[in-house]
Amino acid sequence: MEAHVAMADVTAPDATRARLLAAARRQFAERGFYGASIAQIAGEVGLTKQALLYHFKRKEDLYAEVLKGIAGRLVSVLDAAADQGLPAEQELSEMLLGVHAASQADPRDTRILMRELLDNQVRAPMANDWFLKTFLDRICATFRRIEGLTNLSFAQAFIHIYQVLGSIEYFAISRPTLEQMYGTDGYARFQNGFPRVLRGQIARMIASARAA
């Protein structure tokens, strides 16, 4: 009987794969890599564990696909800013504001990334792919195209960019706690004011890099 159910589960591979990835994203955001299980992810969409393993041989493979999806969405944010044809300084600002908007619209990607930074101490030396590297490299490259910063080293650009990304991600994952502390209306005021403050932070970052 179980074999029959497993076969039925894989009759529409693309649709099943998409459902599993969506469930995995929710589970990894809530529980992290180590807290989420194959059985929980499969059960959330009413599938068997065997059906999940038909699509993803290991939990690591499923997790890698989730991280790849996050990286793709972040790169799409950069593409949207780049397509506007703005000067590099404005392009960078639009990129970072776009990352903030995406993290506010759906903070699950941010939660997964923050958990990954904490949980990946053991798995990092064995990682074969670093899906977020393209995103980080591109945004740093845009920073280094800004007038007056073309001689900035990659390391200097990275440090500046990483600090701003950290503030964006920290604000996004703090929402449940801040709403409990200050109420929904209070968080809404924080949310409305954050882009203006972020623009100021970006301007100060650029000025600091030019002065260095």
Side-chain angles (χ1 to χ4, degrees):
M1 178 66 177
E2 186 171 321
H4 174 75
V5 173
M7 287 299 294
D9 288 341
V10 298
T11 53
D14 292 342
T16 301
R17 184 182 176 88
R19 291 169 62 202
L20 288 169
L21 283 170
R25 182 171 173 245
R26 287 189 291 271
Q27 290 287 336
F28 288 135
E30 181 180 339
R31 304 172 186 270
F33 175 81
Y34 294 107
S37 74
I38 292 292
Q40 288 169 333
I41 294 166
E44 183 175 324
V45 293
L47 300 178
T48 64
K49 182 177 177 180
Q50 288 76 13
L52 188 152
L53 294 174
Y54 172 87
H55 295 276
F56 304 97
K57 302 303 181 186
R58 306 174 303 154
K59 182 167 72 168
E60 287 82 356
D61 298 331
L62 178 58
Y63 187 62
E65 283 298 311
V66 170
L67 291 178
K68 184 178 179 180
I70 293 172
R73 286 187 286 277
L74 287 171
V75 168
S76 293
V77 170
L78 304 190
D79 288 340
D83 288 346
Q84 297 180 51
L86 300 169
E89 185 167 343
Q90 291 176 260
E91 182 180 322
L92 179 72
S93 183
E94 290 303 308
M95 284 178 170
L96 291 168
L97 286 160
V99 172
H100 165 65
S103 71
Q104 288 294 297
D106 188 344
R108 283 176 293 187
D109 286 353
T110 300
R111 291 195 190 110
I112 292 171
L113 294 178
M114 296 296 280
R115 286 183 178 278
E116 172 68 358
L117 291 174
L118 294 172
D119 292 348
N120 198 14
Q121 304 302 311
V122 174
R123 291 180 291 107
M126 299 177 287
N128 295 318
D129 295 299
W130 295 100
F131 300 109
L132 292 170
K133 187 174 184 297
T134 297
F135 165 75
L136 292 169
D137 287 351
R138 273 194 59 184
I139 202 165
C140 287
T142 302
F143 189 31
R144 297 171 73 195
R145 286 195 291 107
I146 294 174
E147 184 179 355
L149 300 182
T150 54
N151 292 325
L152 199 69
S153 71
F154 177 81
Q156 290 171 314
F158 183 90
I159 292 167
H160 283 293
I161 291 296
Y162 210 67
Q163 285 183 323
V164 176
L165 289 174
S167 69
I168 292 170
E169 292 178 349
Y170 191 78
F171 182 69
I173 65 169
S174 298
R175 179 171 188 165
T177 301
L178 293 176
E179 283 187 331
Q180 290 299 313
M181 287 183 181
Y182 299 102
T184 303
D185 290 343
Y187 184 82
R189 288 191 290 272
F190 302 155
Q191 192 176 39
N192 289 338
F194 194 88
R196 178 181 57 79
V197 174
L198 179 58
R199 286 185 185 276
Q201 186 178 2
I202 295 166
R204 289 191 296 275
M205 173 185 71
I206 293 170
S208 175
R210 281 177 172 148

